[in-house]
Each structure stands twice: as structure tokens, then as C-alpha cells.
Amino acid sequence: MMDRLDIRLSRDGDIVLSDSGDIQITNSIQQAILIHLRWIFSEWRLGPDYGFPYFEDVFIKNPDIERIKRDIRMEIMKVEGVRRATVDSVTYDPAGRSATFVYTAVTDEETFKEEVTLYA
């Protein structure tokens, strides 16, 4: 299990509050993966080297889907606690400027399958 604690976020990225209005803490590997996949390269001024190059590699004319799968898998593997990962599918919608990734991740405690959609 991860030693790093994080503020618990909803699937949409909003902070989850308890019934009394307090923030909640989590050490969820699933949440850590979602955060990693939602970071856009050079978007965060305090860590411009973090993130995935969506505008350079995904939201372009004729993206290389196999390369994207490989790179997304590598991004997932950067998350502490992930032992194995596969990217099951990548769907790119140029008209809607969106990309959907379905991946499977294996940790010491569980195996889970998730879908993430990003919009340009």
C-alpha cells in the first residue's frame, strides 16, 4: 500500500467532503493513476516536467495509437504500488477533441479496470 496520503477526490476531480464538511484522506492507487493521467505536460507551473504530452501526441492529426498505449502504460507504471498495467484500448475522437483510455492495473492488493476520458 502507498505511504503517500492524498486528499480524496470524486471521479470528476472534486474534493470529497464528509457529512460534517471535513476533507477526507485516501491512499488510493486508483486515484493516483487518475491524477497522473489527467496531468497535461507542462500545464502545472510548479512541475512543468510532469504530465502526459496530450497536445503533442494524442490531440493531433493521425495519432500513433500503439505509441499512445505504450506511453499511457508507462505513465501508469510511475504510480507507486502498481505492479503491472495494460492499456486495453484507446479511442480518439478528433471531432469531439477527446480521447478515452481503458486500462487494467494490478497492485499487491487488487486488480482493477478503469476508463478515463480527456478533452482537449
Side-chain angles (χ1 to χ4, degrees), residues 70-86:
R70 184 180 61 249
D71 292 348
I72 289 288
R73 180 189 173 281
M74 289 173 44
E75 194 67 29
I76 293 168
M77 292 300 298
K78 290 178 185 177
V79 175
E80 182 183 342
V82 174
R83 301 293 170 236
R84 284 192 318 272
T86 58

Side-chain angles (χ1 to χ4, degrees), residues 52-118:
F52 191 81
Y54 289 106
F55 291 104
E56 295 83 357
D57 295 345
V58 178
F59 298 123
I60 60 173
K61 186 175 183 177
N62 301 317
D64 182 346
I65 299 299
E66 290 307 312
R67 177 179 176 197
I68 293 168
K69 283 183 175 181
R70 184 180 61 249
D71 292 348
I72 289 288
R73 180 189 173 281
M74 289 173 44
E75 194 67 29
I76 293 168
M77 292 300 298
K78 290 178 185 177
V79 175
E80 182 183 342
V82 174
R83 301 293 170 236
R84 284 192 318 272
T86 58
V87 178
D88 306 315
S89 68
V90 173
T91 306
Y92 175 60
D93 175 14
R97 302 267 301 160
S98 68
T100 300
F101 310 98
V102 176
Y103 68 89
T104 303
V106 177
T107 71
D108 288 338
E109 289 86 25
E110 64 182 324
T111 299
F112 54 89
K113 188 172 197 162
E114 291 282 342
E115 180 177 295
V116 178
T117 301
L118 299 165

